[in-house]
């Protein structure tokens, strides 16, 4: 019996641990790091609650030490994807009928497990799999994932309590059904939190899910799965398959019960998925929900009234933390000529102090980029810039892949505001600066607006309130997350709901009620207590 209307715990953001020298938390996470480094694990697929192996495997290695093996994971064949779909569909009825408080309890427990016994493991695995420093791992794998889980559960309750009004004699009720069928979640390499959130948010709203993590995050995705298991997620609610994304997607889209996609990754892949879904629209029993958070070419624009030290810190942190591999990373910068000399000199000085290497060494601010393809692409960009006439390298420009995929923090300056590094997402530690005439502020605002296909994040540094007010208006459509006198990265769940428009995605704001609404299909129930007994209306009298 459940004769009560439960209230979920009010969410608070998870406090970030600082991992100071000689702290117990530092020792403890390093101990786990070293243990996981030698673990040589096998990661089977996770289908209907069971570990499933196949005949094909891939190796996993840390990007900062690519010759070292962390173990291997199993690749799906067509039959495994079909099994994952079947298992999601079989689990659906029981899961969607489970009282929402019970579902909430599972995900709240998952959050507490990450905050407590799994914290070191999920952080250490993220340091190894994605080469994050401890701070970047802590804000992602621990804090953001905990926040996603807790805030989403709170939003879930909020959504369920939204009800229509009822006139006298009538009772209108809205029920929030999960989508009919199953949801397909595809996650990127760069955030362990996203890997838990995309399948998790759809599942908490009563859906069952087939999840395909990125090949380059499977080592830490495994910890997410361990947490969900230990939290008591029933078999088949989330099913993880790994490997060839095109084959997996083709099998998924053959099912008429495909009801939605929860995607985060690059714009090209998302556009391709959208086209494939469109081409198969007659195949599905419903119009699938298409939710995608995609690429960015995020900007910082400085007015001559900006404070130089604040601007320089924002460029370095926003551009180079996690090697610039954040969708929100600052990568095109607009600064007025009057301050360029000072900004350049401070950037040079400060960047020369940046240490790069393994995340095991806490002095390192940067580590390696994710894989060889990314390394090769970024080093090609640097080679081209070195040859081009309209750009030059102000700082950095070095690269080395002998041990890990290391690219130096690199700043390019260009006289061409449409230079390709001002337009294209590079997803690495490369930042381009365009210097403008102080008197051309309005023109440069237009440039910011027109220069790339994306509209994810952007920041303005300015102390003049008139200019600020006008500029924020003019830049209205350039960014889904806009920052004033702050770097353009580091959105916090519950505080800065995250997502962008234009080529950056469907802007459904992960970690907020707006996103969760995409995973329900409301049903209105109207009940009339004393129905009319004569078809004639009074006006006919
Ligand atoms: P990616 O697009 O290469 O891969 C993302 C996921 O899509 C992976 O699981 C991958 O295996 C899968 N995939 C690749 N090709 C596919 C295909 N043809 N069909 C189906 N699935 C396919 O991206 P990535 O390198 O993992 O991540 C970086 C990208 O993600 C960047 O563009 C970044 O801006 C974006 N990103 C955006 C956000 C956001 O919130 N807007 C957050 C994180 C990352």
């Amino acid at each position: 019996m459940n004769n009560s209307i439960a209230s979920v715990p009010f969410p608070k953001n998870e406090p970030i641990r600082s991992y100071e020298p000689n702290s117990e938390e530092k020792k403890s996470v390093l101990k786990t790091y070293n243990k996981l480094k030698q673990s040589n694990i096998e990661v089977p697929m996770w289908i209907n609650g069971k570990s499933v192996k196949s005949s094909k495997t891939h190796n996993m290695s840390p990007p900062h030490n690519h010759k070292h093996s962390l173990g291997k994971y199993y690749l799906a064949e067509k039959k495994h994807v079909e099994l994952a779909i079947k298992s999601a569909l079989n689990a659906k009825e029981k899961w969607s009928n489970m009282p929402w408080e019970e579902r909430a309890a599972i995900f709240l427990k998952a959050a507490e497990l990450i905050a407590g016994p799994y914290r070191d493991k999920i952080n250490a695995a993220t340091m190894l799999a994605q080469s994050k420093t401890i701070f970047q791992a802590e804000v992602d794998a621990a804090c953001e994932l905990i926040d996603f889980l807790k805030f989403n559960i709170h939003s879930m309750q909020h959504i369920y309590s939204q009800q229509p009004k009822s006139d006298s004699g009538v009772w209108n009720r809205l029920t929030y059904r999960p989508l009919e069928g199953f949801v397909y979640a595809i996650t990127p390499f760069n955030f362990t939190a996203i890997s838990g959130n995309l399948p998790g948010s759809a599942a908490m709203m009563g859906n069952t899910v087939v999840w395909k993590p990125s090949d380059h995050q499977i080592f830490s995705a495994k910890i997410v799965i361990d947490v969900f298991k230990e939290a008591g997620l029933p078999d088949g609610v989330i099913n993880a398959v790994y490997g060839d994304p095109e084959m997996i997607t083709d099998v998924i889209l053959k099912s008429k019960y495909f009801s939605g996609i929860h995607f985060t990754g690059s714009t090209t892949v998302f556009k391709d998925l959208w086209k494939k879904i469109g081409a198969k629209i007659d195949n599905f029993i419903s119009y699938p929900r298409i939710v995608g958070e995609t690429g960015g070419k995020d900007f910082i624009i400085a007015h001559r009234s900006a404070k130089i030290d604040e601007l320089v810190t924002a460029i370095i942190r926003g551009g180079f933390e996690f090697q610039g591999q954040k969708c929100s990373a600052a990568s095109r910068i607009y600064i007025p000529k009057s301050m360029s000399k000072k900004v350049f000199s401070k950037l040079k000085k400060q960047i020369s102090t940046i240490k790069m290497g393994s995340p095991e060494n806490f002095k390192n601010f940067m580590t390696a980029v994710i894989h060889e393809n990314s390394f090769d692409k970024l080093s090609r960009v640097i080679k081209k810039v070195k040859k081009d006439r309209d750009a030059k390298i102000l700082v950095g420009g070095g690269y080395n892949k002998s041990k890990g995929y290391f690219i130096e923090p690199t700043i390019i300056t260009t006289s061409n505001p449409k230079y390709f590094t001002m337009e294209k997402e590079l997803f690495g530690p490369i930042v381009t600066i365009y210097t403008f005439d102080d008197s051309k502020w309005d023109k440069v605002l237009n440039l910011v607006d027109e220069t790339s296909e994306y509209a994810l994040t952007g920041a303005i540094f300015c102390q003049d309130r008139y200019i600020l007010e006008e500029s924020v208006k003019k830049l209205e459509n350039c960014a889904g997350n806009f920052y004033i006198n702050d770097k353009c990265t580091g959105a916090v769940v519950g505080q800065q709901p995250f997502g962008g428009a234009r080529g950056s995605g469907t802007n459904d704001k992960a970690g907020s009620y707006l996103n969760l609404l995409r995973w329900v299909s409301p049903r209105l129930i109207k009940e009339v207590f004393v129905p009319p007994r004569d078809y004639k209306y009074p006006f006919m009298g």
Side-chain angles (χ1 to χ4, degrees), residues 307-509:
K307 299 215 160 138
I308 289 182
D309 287 335
E310 296 171 2
L311 172 66
V312 168
T313 304
I315 296 173
I316 296 179
R317 285 190 171 174
F320 300 132
E321 274 183 322
F322 189 35
Q323 298 72 261
Q325 299 172 120
K326 296 185 184 186
C327 50
S328 56
S331 64
R332 53 182 174 122
I333 318 290
Y334 301 80
I335 55 172
K337 281 210 173 97
S338 60
M339 62 168 61
S340 62
K341 218 172 142 193
K342 274 195 189 149
V343 172
F344 289 173
S345 127
K346 282 181 188 257
L347 281 171
K348 274 189 192 164
K349 201 166 156 203
Q350 293 188 29
I351 293 171
S352 71
T353 66
I354 288 181
K355 292 197 166 50
M356 190 165 66
S358 162
E360 220 172 323
N361 179 352
F362 282 24
K363 291 212 159 44
N364 290 327
F365 178 74
M366 288 173 63
T367 71
V369 298
I370 192 72
H371 47 52
E372 190 164 20
N373 275 350
S374 170
F375 177 92
D376 290 346
K377 181 186 81 182
L378 295 164
S379 48
R380 271 197 307 272
V381 167
I382 293 173
K383 272 185 215 148
K384 176 168 162 48
V385 174
K386 285 179 178 165
K387 278 197 229 134
D388 282 352
R389 283 174 152 209
D390 45 357
K392 62 174 195 245
I393 300 214
L394 179 79
V395 192
Y399 43 85
N400 186 326
K401 63 175 174 183
S402 52
K403 179 158 191 212
Y405 304 115
F406 292 104
I407 304 271
E408 277 180 8
T410 299
I411 298 226
I412 298 168
T413 54
T414 182
S415 52
N416 172 6
K418 299 275 175 88
Y419 188 59
F420 80 102
T421 63
M422 292 291 283
E423 287 187 329
K424 299 252 166 297
E425 184 185 51
L426 302 174
F427 225 58
I430 298 181
V431 169
T432 310
I433 302 183
Y434 170 70
T435 309
F436 62 90
D437 209 320
D438 290 38
S439 62
K440 304 249 167 76
W441 179 251
D442 282 343
K443 223 169 145 196
V444 90
L445 289 179
N446 289 337
L447 263 180
V448 171
D449 188 35
E450 292 161 7
T451 298
S452 96
E453 64 175 299
Y454 303 107
L456 190 51
T457 75
I460 182 168
F461 279 75
C462 174
Q463 297 298 322
D464 180 324
R465 205 74 215 185
Y466 285 120
I467 298 282
L468 197 54
E469 193 237 332
E470 208 182 286
S471 312
V472 172
K473 250 190 243 150
K474 281 203 172 142
L475 297 175
E476 184 173 18
N477 293 314
C478 306
N481 283 57
F482 191 81
Y483 297 81
I484 299 174
N485 294 320
D486 193 13
K487 65 179 168 52
C488 54
T489 56
V492 175
V493 178
Q495 298 193 40
Q496 296 100 24
F498 189 79
R502 293 187 182 162
S504 291
T506 52
N507 200 10
D508 288 296
K509 300 292 186 201

Side-chain angles (χ1 to χ4, degrees), residues 92 159-160 174-181 205 207 259 286-287 289 516-524:
K92 178 71 185 294
I159 289 172
Y160 289 165
L174 261 186
T175 61
Y176 292 87
R177 302 169 300 181
L179 307 181
E180 206 178 351
M205 301 310 284
N207 298 282
S259 65
S286 311
Y287 297 103
R289 297 283 164 92
L516 296 188
L517 279 174
R518 304 299 309 271
W519 310 117
V520 292
S521 177
R523 177 191 193 212
L524 183 281

Side-chain angles (χ1 to χ4, degrees), residues 89 92 178-182 253-260 280-288:
L89 291 173
K92 178 71 185 294
L179 307 181
E180 206 178 351
F182 68 95
L253 297 187
K254 279 205 181 98
S255 169
K256 64 178 183 177
Y257 298 109
F258 162 71
S259 65
K280 290 210 170 264
I281 197 70
D282 292 330
N283 184 35
F284 312 124
I285 56 166
S286 311
Y287 297 103

Side-chain angles (χ1 to χ4, degrees), residues 184 186-191 194 212-216 243 245-246 249 263-267 269-270 272-273 276 292-296 325-328 370-371 425 427 454 456 498-500 504 510:
Y184 180 29
I186 305 183
T187 56
F189 79 83
N190 67 335
F191 277 87
I194 296 178
K212 197 212 81 63
S214 159
D215 287 349
H216 305 281
E246 299 212 8
T249 302
F263 174 86
T264 298
S266 56
T267 299
V269 170
F270 186 53
D272 187 49
L273 285 164
K276 281 187 178 163
E293 296 306 329
T294 60
Q325 299 172 120
K326 296 185 184 186
C327 50
S328 56
I370 192 72
H371 47 52
E425 184 185 51
F427 225 58
Y454 303 107
L456 190 51
F498 189 79
S504 291

Side-chain angles (χ1 to χ4, degrees), residues 45 47 52-56 75-86 210 239-242 247 251:
M45 288 169 276
I47 303 175
V52 177
K53 295 184 177 175
S54 64
S55 55
K56 268 181 106 180
L75 300 170
E77 293 157 32
K78 195 167 162 258
K79 63 178 181 194
H80 300 114
V81 188
E82 286 164 350
L83 193 64
I85 296 172
K86 199 169 149 209
V210 176
N239 304 275
V241 288
Y242 315 127
M247 179 279 286
V251 179

